Amino acid sequence: MSENKKTGHAVQTTGHAWDGDIQEYNNPIPRWWLWSFYATVVFSIIYWVLYPAWPIGHSYTTGVLNNITYTVNGEEKTTHWNTRARLVRDMQTGEDAVKQRRHMQEVANASFSAILSDPKMIDFSSKIGKVLFTDNCAACHGMGGQGVVGLFPSLVDDDWLWGGRTENIRETIASGRIGFMPAFGKTFSDQQMDDVVEYVLSLSNQAEDQPRVQRGKQLFGGEQGGCYYCHNQEGTGIQSQGAANLTDQIWTIVDVAGQKDIEGKRALVREVVSKGVNRSMPNWKGRLSDEEIKLLTVYVYNLSGGK
Amino acid sequence: MRHENIETNVGLLVALTLVVISIGGLIEIVPLFFIDETIEQVKTTDGKDAIRPFTPLESRGRDIYIREGCYLCHSQMIRPFRDEILRYGHYSLAAESQYDHPFQWGSKRTGPDLARVGGKYSNEWHTQHMIAPRSVMPDSIMPNYPWLLENDLKYNDIAGRLKSQRIVGVPYSLTDEEYEANVERFGKEAADRLNIHAAEENLMAQAEQGNYDGDRSRLTEMDALVAYLQVLGTMVDFKQYDEGHFAEFR
């Protein structure tokens, strides 16, 4: 038997003794705890009244807190508290959403040239564009838009397969692209293939065998190869076809520039010519709004320094 | 009964604790089976159910998803908050996981939510990303899963797997009546794919047509997993509904 220090009353022990003399007091639970417990009970009763709470057959009590108001098809609707209605309200009249919509509206109304000449709009588009890019584009084109050679084109250089003007980029994002080059493996003989490959390399000043280059030029610009249909006679490519410019050092399908010796370069070009190219980029107009695509366009346009 | 009697009797304490917890659980969970609005009615424009069970191939993909523990890092539940829908798309509906046993909602997002990943990336991207995530996402911390492309998909037990799903209420059809009911409910095309008797052919046909892993000569686990990922969150056409429609169910 002992005494509670605070109250001075005698306190019972639990009746057990461990190791002969260790005993446990049987104190009542603290007052503050007990009152907190009663408070939670009161809280839950108030909660039941205000919020959706009790099931009744096929329905439930919706609570008296009819405080969520939103507009559907021009009609105002007030409903009991629930997260979905709250979301609709937040999207329509929430502070952040309204602010963002105001900016989006400005973007929607502005032309690309107007956006690109207004530092404030560039700032907005680069902030929103970065988020959109990271979530939708970076998976293939990389966080910084550097791309993956052979799989996904780089967006940071000045070389554009489908055109680098804002209207081209917008169209690419909105509708997607299908990059296709037929396989010429069966069209050319082995020797002809060597010639075409050498000519293609000569376009970017990497060829070493001049006779081959001359013969390859005939095939490239002639009817048998017909390469000029898409790459044109100068080999600079036609952007409406998505055909690559072959006269620069930028290679998007195979890493020719990364090869040290001519044999390695020839092998890679040969692979593309004989197997062809078949790759695609999905369209985003179903996922992104027109304004978002516009912002992304500005962002991508600026990635390459705006050229 | 004095409280001391419960506290000093472990067996009784355990039993009564279970009773008390069960009361809480039953009151919270059981009514949801009876409340009409728990699962939203989602119909296509021609009056069929928009949400169908997974096809045999998708279902095998889902098995692999579970086997590899994808759910440990990826949730499949977009909550109704502005920041979530801006990133992931429309919030998830209860109807969308009504045939998911067990559901894959998850609560841990080490990786992004996958509830609407279907159609977002190409098949080639998924295959490449699964073999070596960092080759397409340098910042990724996802492990490599190269064996998915090496392992042949085991599918000779697919009928059994669908049957076990049927036992817990997923409407795969075994009898003619069930098949007819599925035609009525999901349309003929979907009903054909839910027919357990044709499960193997359906699985092969979808893999052949979709060519998910880019290699037509083999049917790999990658085919199944990519098929599954590509259907996630794509069954409901949200453009069909005004923005307040699904709030009516709450």
Side-chain angles (χ1 to χ4, degrees):
Chain A
M1 206 66 54
S2 175
E3 269 187 11
N4 185 310
K5 279 180 194 153
K6 273 189 190 161
T7 59
H9 293 304
V11 189
Q12 297 282 326
T13 69
T14 52
H16 289 289
W18 289 271
D19 284 350
D21 59 348
I22 301 175
Q23 290 178 302
E24 187 186 4
Y25 289 140
N26 193 10
N27 278 315
I29 48 178
R31 279 296 164 84
W32 66 265
W33 193 97
L34 198 63
W35 284 111
S36 303
F37 175 70
Y38 292 145
T40 61
V41 173
V42 173
F43 173 87
S44 61
I45 292 168
I46 296 170
Y47 188 97
W48 293 342
V49 177
L50 295 180
Y51 291 91
W54 285 95
I56 314 164
H58 293 283
S59 183
Y60 51 90
T61 59
T62 54
V64 297
L65 204 62
N66 261 342
N67 63 343
I68 309 239
T69 304
Y70 57 90
T71 317
V72 176
N73 300 331
E75 253 177 72
E76 202 164 271
K77 197 170 160 51
T78 299
T79 179
H80 64 271
W81 189 94
N82 71 84
T83 49
R84 291 183 178 182
R86 199 182 56 173
L87 171 72
V88 178
R89 187 190 63 187
D90 280 356
M91 295 301 283
Q92 291 181 344
T93 53
E95 197 185 334
D96 294 337
V98 168
K99 218 182 203 170
Q100 190 178 32
R101 199 159 47 241
R102 204 174 59 229
H103 284 293
M104 284 295 198
Q105 201 54 47
E106 282 175 29
V107 170
N109 294 335
S111 67
F112 279 120
S113 57
I115 296 175
L116 288 166
S117 58
D118 181 348
K120 249 170 111 182
M121 279 193 136
I122 290 190
D123 190 40
F124 177 68
S125 73
S126 64
K127 285 202 178 92
I128 300 278
K130 187 168 182 173
V131 174
L132 291 170
F133 190 88
T134 308
D135 193 29
N136 297 287
C137 318
C140 292
H141 292 288
M143 291 297 284
Q146 73 279 11
V148 179
V149 172
L151 293 170
F152 315 111
S154 161
L155 304 175
V156 294
D157 55 26
D158 295 340
D159 195 33
W160 293 91
L161 288 167
W162 298 93
R165 286 182 296 124
T166 43
E167 200 36 53
N168 304 133
I169 299 174
R170 197 201 62 78
E171 179 60 23
T172 303
I173 299 173
S175 308
R177 295 290 189 189
I178 295 172
F180 175 74
M181 168 176 148
F184 287 91
K186 288 180 182 145
T187 314
F188 296 137
S189 68
D190 270 2
Q191 200 223 320
Q192 285 176 320
M193 186 66 84
D194 286 341
D195 297 342
V196 170
V197 167
E198 202 68 11
Y199 177 67
V200 169
L201 285 170
S202 80
L203 290 169
S204 50
N205 297 322
Q206 300 183 81
E208 291 183 359
D209 188 331
Q210 280 310 313
R212 277 192 191 176
V213 169
Q214 291 310 319
R215 290 197 299 272
K217 187 173 183 179
Q218 300 305 318
L219 289 164
F220 190 93
E223 292 311 309
Q224 190 188 353
C227 311
Y228 72 93
Y229 289 151
C230 299
H231 290 287
N232 85 26
Q233 288 288 2
E234 288 76 41
T236 50
I238 298 174
Q239 289 183 335
S240 63
Q241 309 293 317
N245 180 355
L246 304 173
T247 62
D248 57 20
Q249 295 282 348
I250 299 169
W251 300 82
T252 68
I253 309 283
V254 285
D255 188 17
V256 173
Q259 293 298 313
K260 288 193 185 69
D261 60 339
I262 183 79
E263 278 313 319
K265 291 180 185 184
R266 282 174 181 153
L268 289 180
V269 175
R270 192 186 180 95
E271 187 187 319
V272 177
V273 178
S274 55
K275 286 188 184 159
V277 175
N278 199 351
R279 58 181 186 174
S280 62
M281 164 168 157
N283 74 68
W284 296 89
K285 57 176 173 254
R287 261 175 200 277
L288 302 175
S289 69
D290 289 347
E291 293 80 35
E292 286 171 328
I293 289 177
K294 208 163 178 181
L295 287 168
L296 255 182
T297 302
V298 173
Y299 182 79
V300 171
Y301 182 78
N302 281 328
L303 272 183
S304 66
K307 279 181 190 165
Chain B
M1 191 190 296
R2 286 184 58 224
H3 211 273
E4 194 181 332
N5 294 344
I6 305 173
E7 285 180 25
T8 53
N9 185 335
V10 174
L12 193 59
L13 183 67
V14 168
L16 291 177
T17 303
L18 282 176
V19 168
V20 171
I21 293 174
S22 307
I23 292 171
L26 289 170
I27 288 179
E28 275 200 63
I29 297 164
V30 173
L32 292 174
F33 289 96
F34 300 100
I35 293 174
D36 295 331
E37 289 141 340
T38 302
I39 297 181
E40 308 85 352
Q41 294 293 318
V42 193
K43 301 282 185 193
T44 59
T45 40
D46 53 359
K48 305 291 186 194
D49 273 17
I51 318 280
R52 57 156 176 81
F54 293 115
T55 64
L57 186 67
E58 291 156 9
S59 162
R60 282 299 285 130
R62 189 171 168 282
D63 293 339
I64 292 162
Y65 183 92
I66 294 168
R67 182 192 76 192
E68 300 295 352
C70 305
Y71 58 86
L72 291 167
C73 292
H74 293 283
S75 57
Q76 287 186 24
M77 162 61 86
I78 303 165
R79 297 170 292 175
F81 306 133
R82 181 168 168 268
D83 53 336
E84 296 237 335
I85 66 165
L86 285 180
R87 173 163 183 193
Y88 297 120
H90 198 285
Y91 55 79
S92 296
L93 304 178
E96 287 181 292
S97 38
Q98 62 182 313
Y99 303 126
D100 240 2
H101 295 285
F103 61 77
Q104 298 299 312
W105 300 339
S107 56
K108 181 85 176 84
R109 279 185 187 160
T110 303
D113 187 276
L114 298 180
R116 300 210 185 282
V117 79
K120 185 167 183 178
Y121 307 112
S122 63
N123 295 342
E124 301 85 58
W125 183 87
H126 275 299
T127 305
Q128 178 65 29
H129 178 252
M130 219 62 80
I131 299 168
R134 269 154 303 283
S135 68
V136 287
M137 270 305 214
D139 294 350
S140 175
I141 54 165
M142 185 169 122
N144 302 341
Y145 294 89
W147 55 86
L148 295 175
L149 196 60
E150 292 159 13
N151 292 357
D152 285 325
L153 181 70
K154 183 165 171 276
Y155 59 87
N156 55 3
D157 56 356
I158 183 65
R161 286 175 186 268
L162 298 189
K163 274 181 199 160
S164 66
Q165 290 282 305
R166 179 176 165 273
I167 292 170
V168 291
V170 184
Y172 292 110
S173 65
L174 206 52
T175 64
D176 286 348
E177 293 84 68
E178 285 171 354
Y179 172 78
E180 290 306 327
N182 277 353
V183 173
E184 186 65 28
R185 187 166 166 193
F186 303 109
K188 183 161 186 331
E189 195 189 312
D192 285 341
R193 301 170 98 177
L194 304 178
N195 182 357
I196 295 179
H197 299 294
E200 235 174 88
E201 294 98 275
N202 282 332
L203 184 145
M204 298 290 287
Q206 192 187 352
E208 176 62 30
Q209 198 200 350
N211 188 23
Y212 296 95
D213 67 355
D215 179 359
R216 279 188 196 283
S217 61
R218 284 177 63 205
L219 177 51
T220 63
E221 292 182 342
M222 187 73 84
D223 278 304
L225 185 60
V226 175
Y228 170 65
L229 292 173
Q230 291 291 35
V231 79
L232 286 181
T234 60
M235 293 187 197
V236 183
D237 177 13
F238 285 100
K239 290 210 172 72
Q240 210 178 305
Y241 304 98
D242 62 48
E243 112 184 93
H245 178 78
F246 289 108
E248 304 285 322
F249 292 93
R250 287 294 176 270

Short mmCIF file of all heavy atoms in Angstrom, two decimals, chain B residues 3-30:
data_model
loop_
_atom_site.label_atom_id
_atom_site.label_comp_id
_atom_site.label_asym_id
_atom_site.label_seq_id
_atom_site.Cartn_x
_atom_site.Cartn_y
_atom_site.Cartn_z
N HIS B 3 -13.76 -4.68 -15.27
CA HIS B 3 -12.74 -4.49 -16.30
C HIS B 3 -11.46 -5.24 -15.94
O HIS B 3 -10.73 -5.73 -16.80
CB HIS B 3 -12.44 -3.00 -16.47
CG HIS B 3 -12.03 -2.65 -17.86
ND1 HIS B 3 -10.73 -2.72 -18.29
CD2 HIS B 3 -12.75 -2.28 -18.95
CE1 HIS B 3 -10.67 -2.38 -19.56
NE2 HIS B 3 -11.90 -2.12 -19.99
N GLU B 4 -11.22 -5.37 -14.63
CA GLU B 4 -10.00 -6.04 -14.20
C GLU B 4 -9.98 -7.50 -14.65
O GLU B 4 -8.93 -8.03 -15.00
CB GLU B 4 -9.90 -5.96 -12.67
CG GLU B 4 -8.53 -6.33 -12.16
CD GLU B 4 -8.47 -6.27 -10.64
OE1 GLU B 4 -9.23 -5.47 -10.05
OE2 GLU B 4 -7.67 -7.02 -10.07
N ASN B 5 -11.18 -8.11 -14.71
CA ASN B 5 -11.24 -9.50 -15.16
C ASN B 5 -10.78 -9.63 -16.60
O ASN B 5 -10.16 -10.62 -16.97
CB ASN B 5 -12.67 -10.03 -15.04
CG ASN B 5 -13.10 -10.12 -13.59
OD1 ASN B 5 -12.25 -10.06 -12.69
ND2 ASN B 5 -14.40 -10.22 -13.36
N ILE B 6 -11.11 -8.63 -17.44
CA ILE B 6 -10.67 -8.67 -18.84
C ILE B 6 -9.17 -8.44 -18.91
O ILE B 6 -8.44 -9.15 -19.60
CB ILE B 6 -11.40 -7.59 -19.66
CG1 ILE B 6 -12.91 -7.75 -19.50
CG2 ILE B 6 -11.00 -7.67 -21.12
CD1 ILE B 6 -13.71 -6.64 -20.13
N GLU B 7 -8.71 -7.44 -18.16
CA GLU B 7 -7.30 -7.07 -18.25
C GLU B 7 -6.38 -8.17 -17.75
O GLU B 7 -5.24 -8.27 -18.18
CB GLU B 7 -7.04 -5.80 -17.43
CG GLU B 7 -7.56 -4.55 -18.11
CD GLU B 7 -7.28 -3.31 -17.26
OE1 GLU B 7 -6.33 -3.34 -16.45
OE2 GLU B 7 -8.02 -2.34 -17.40
N THR B 8 -6.86 -8.99 -16.87
CA THR B 8 -5.98 -10.01 -16.31
C THR B 8 -6.17 -11.37 -16.97
O THR B 8 -5.60 -12.35 -16.54
CB THR B 8 -6.21 -10.16 -14.79
OG1 THR B 8 -7.62 -10.37 -14.59
CG2 THR B 8 -5.76 -8.93 -14.06
N ASN B 9 -6.99 -11.43 -18.02
CA ASN B 9 -7.20 -12.68 -18.72
C ASN B 9 -6.87 -12.48 -20.20
O ASN B 9 -7.66 -11.92 -20.96
CB ASN B 9 -8.67 -13.09 -18.55
CG ASN B 9 -8.94 -14.45 -19.15
OD1 ASN B 9 -8.23 -14.89 -20.06
ND2 ASN B 9 -9.96 -15.12 -18.65
N VAL B 10 -5.67 -12.93 -20.61
CA VAL B 10 -5.18 -12.61 -21.95
C VAL B 10 -6.13 -13.11 -23.05
O VAL B 10 -6.45 -12.39 -23.99
CB VAL B 10 -3.77 -13.19 -22.17
CG1 VAL B 10 -3.34 -12.98 -23.61
CG2 VAL B 10 -2.79 -12.53 -21.23
N GLY B 11 -6.61 -14.34 -22.92
CA GLY B 11 -7.50 -14.90 -23.94
C GLY B 11 -8.75 -14.05 -24.11
O GLY B 11 -9.13 -13.69 -25.23
N LEU B 12 -9.33 -13.66 -23.02
CA LEU B 12 -10.54 -12.85 -23.06
C LEU B 12 -10.24 -11.47 -23.63
O LEU B 12 -11.01 -10.93 -24.44
CB LEU B 12 -11.09 -12.71 -21.63
CG LEU B 12 -12.51 -12.16 -21.49
CD1 LEU B 12 -13.49 -13.05 -22.24
CD2 LEU B 12 -12.90 -12.04 -20.02
N LEU B 13 -9.09 -10.93 -23.26
CA LEU B 13 -8.70 -9.62 -23.75
C LEU B 13 -8.56 -9.63 -25.27
O LEU B 13 -9.07 -8.77 -25.98
CB LEU B 13 -7.37 -9.18 -23.12
CG LEU B 13 -6.90 -7.77 -23.50
CD1 LEU B 13 -7.83 -6.71 -22.95
CD2 LEU B 13 -5.48 -7.53 -23.01
N VAL B 14 -7.90 -10.66 -25.80
CA VAL B 14 -7.72 -10.78 -27.25
C VAL B 14 -9.08 -10.91 -27.93
O VAL B 14 -9.38 -10.19 -28.89
CB VAL B 14 -6.84 -12.00 -27.59
CG1 VAL B 14 -6.90 -12.30 -29.08
CG2 VAL B 14 -5.41 -11.76 -27.15
N ALA B 15 -9.93 -11.80 -27.40
CA ALA B 15 -11.24 -12.04 -28.03
C ALA B 15 -12.06 -10.76 -28.05
O ALA B 15 -12.61 -10.38 -29.09
CB ALA B 15 -11.97 -13.15 -27.27
N LEU B 16 -12.14 -10.07 -26.93
CA LEU B 16 -12.96 -8.86 -26.87
C LEU B 16 -12.38 -7.72 -27.70
O LEU B 16 -13.11 -6.93 -28.29
CB LEU B 16 -13.17 -8.43 -25.42
CG LEU B 16 -14.06 -9.40 -24.62
CD1 LEU B 16 -14.16 -8.95 -23.15
CD2 LEU B 16 -15.46 -9.50 -25.22
N THR B 17 -11.01 -7.66 -27.77
CA THR B 17 -10.38 -6.65 -28.61
C THR B 17 -10.80 -6.87 -30.06
O THR B 17 -11.16 -5.93 -30.77
CB THR B 17 -8.85 -6.73 -28.50
OG1 THR B 17 -8.49 -6.58 -27.14
CG2 THR B 17 -8.18 -5.63 -29.31
N LEU B 18 -10.76 -8.13 -30.50
CA LEU B 18 -11.16 -8.45 -31.86
C LEU B 18 -12.61 -8.05 -32.12
O LEU B 18 -12.94 -7.50 -33.17
CB LEU B 18 -10.98 -9.95 -32.13
CG LEU B 18 -9.54 -10.39 -32.40
CD1 LEU B 18 -9.46 -11.90 -32.56
CD2 LEU B 18 -8.99 -9.70 -33.65
N VAL B 19 -13.46 -8.30 -31.13
CA VAL B 19 -14.88 -7.94 -31.30
C VAL B 19 -15.02 -6.44 -31.50
O VAL B 19 -15.69 -5.98 -32.43
CB VAL B 19 -15.71 -8.40 -30.07
CG1 VAL B 19 -17.10 -7.77 -30.10
CG2 VAL B 19 -15.80 -9.92 -30.05
N VAL B 20 -14.33 -5.67 -30.66
CA VAL B 20 -14.46 -4.21 -30.75
C VAL B 20 -13.95 -3.71 -32.09
O VAL B 20 -14.58 -2.89 -32.77
CB VAL B 20 -13.69 -3.53 -29.59
CG1 VAL B 20 -13.64 -2.02 -29.80
CG2 VAL B 20 -14.37 -3.86 -28.28
N ILE B 21 -12.77 -4.22 -32.52
CA ILE B 21 -12.21 -3.77 -33.80
C ILE B 21 -13.13 -4.18 -34.95
O ILE B 21 -13.35 -3.42 -35.89
CB ILE B 21 -10.79 -4.33 -34.00
CG1 ILE B 21 -9.85 -3.70 -32.97
CG2 ILE B 21 -10.28 -4.05 -35.40
CD1 ILE B 21 -8.47 -4.29 -32.97
N SER B 22 -13.68 -5.37 -34.87
CA SER B 22 -14.58 -5.84 -35.94
C SER B 22 -15.79 -4.94 -36.08
O SER B 22 -16.24 -4.66 -37.19
CB SER B 22 -15.07 -7.26 -35.65
OG SER B 22 -13.99 -8.09 -35.40
N ILE B 23 -16.31 -4.48 -34.94
CA ILE B 23 -17.48 -3.60 -35.02
C ILE B 23 -17.13 -2.36 -35.84
O ILE B 23 -17.84 -1.98 -36.76
CB ILE B 23 -17.96 -3.19 -33.60
CG1 ILE B 23 -18.54 -4.42 -32.89
CG2 ILE B 23 -19.00 -2.08 -33.68
CD1 ILE B 23 -18.85 -4.19 -31.43
N GLY B 24 -15.97 -1.78 -35.55
CA GLY B 24 -15.53 -0.61 -36.32
C GLY B 24 -15.40 -0.94 -37.79
O GLY B 24 -15.89 -0.22 -38.66
N GLY B 25 -14.74 -2.06 -38.09
CA GLY B 25 -14.52 -2.45 -39.47
C GLY B 25 -15.83 -2.73 -40.20
O GLY B 25 -16.05 -2.24 -41.30
N LEU B 26 -16.70 -3.48 -39.54
CA LEU B 26 -17.97 -3.85 -40.19
C LEU B 26 -18.81 -2.61 -40.50
O LEU B 26 -19.38 -2.49 -41.58
CB LEU B 26 -18.76 -4.80 -39.29
CG LEU B 26 -18.17 -6.21 -39.16
CD1 LEU B 26 -18.87 -7.00 -38.06
CD2 LEU B 26 -18.28 -6.94 -40.49
N ILE B 27 -18.84 -1.68 -39.54
CA ILE B 27 -19.66 -0.49 -39.76
C ILE B 27 -19.10 0.35 -40.91
O ILE B 27 -19.83 0.95 -41.68
CB ILE B 27 -19.75 0.34 -38.46
CG1 ILE B 27 -20.65 -0.39 -37.47
CG2 ILE B 27 -20.29 1.74 -38.73
CD1 ILE B 27 -20.81 0.30 -36.15
N GLU B 28 -17.78 0.36 -41.04
CA GLU B 28 -17.18 1.17 -42.10
C GLU B 28 -17.27 0.50 -43.47
O GLU B 28 -17.45 1.16 -44.48
CB GLU B 28 -15.70 1.42 -41.79
CG GLU B 28 -15.47 2.61 -40.88
CD GLU B 28 -14.04 3.10 -41.00
OE1 GLU B 28 -13.67 3.53 -42.10
OE2 GLU B 28 -13.30 3.03 -40.00
N ILE B 29 -17.11 -0.81 -43.49
CA ILE B 29 -16.92 -1.49 -44.78
C ILE B 29 -18.21 -2.07 -45.34
O ILE B 29 -18.56 -1.85 -46.50
CB ILE B 29 -15.84 -2.58 -44.65
CG1 ILE B 29 -14.50 -1.94 -44.30
CG2 ILE B 29 -15.70 -3.37 -45.96
CD1 ILE B 29 -13.47 -2.90 -43.78
N VAL B 30 -18.93 -2.82 -44.51
CA VAL B 30 -20.08 -3.58 -45.04
C VAL B 30 -21.12 -2.70 -45.74
O VAL B 30 -21.57 -3.04 -46.83
CB VAL B 30 -20.72 -4.43 -43.92
CG1 VAL B 30 -22.01 -5.07 -44.40
CG2 VAL B 30 -19.73 -5.49 -43.45
#
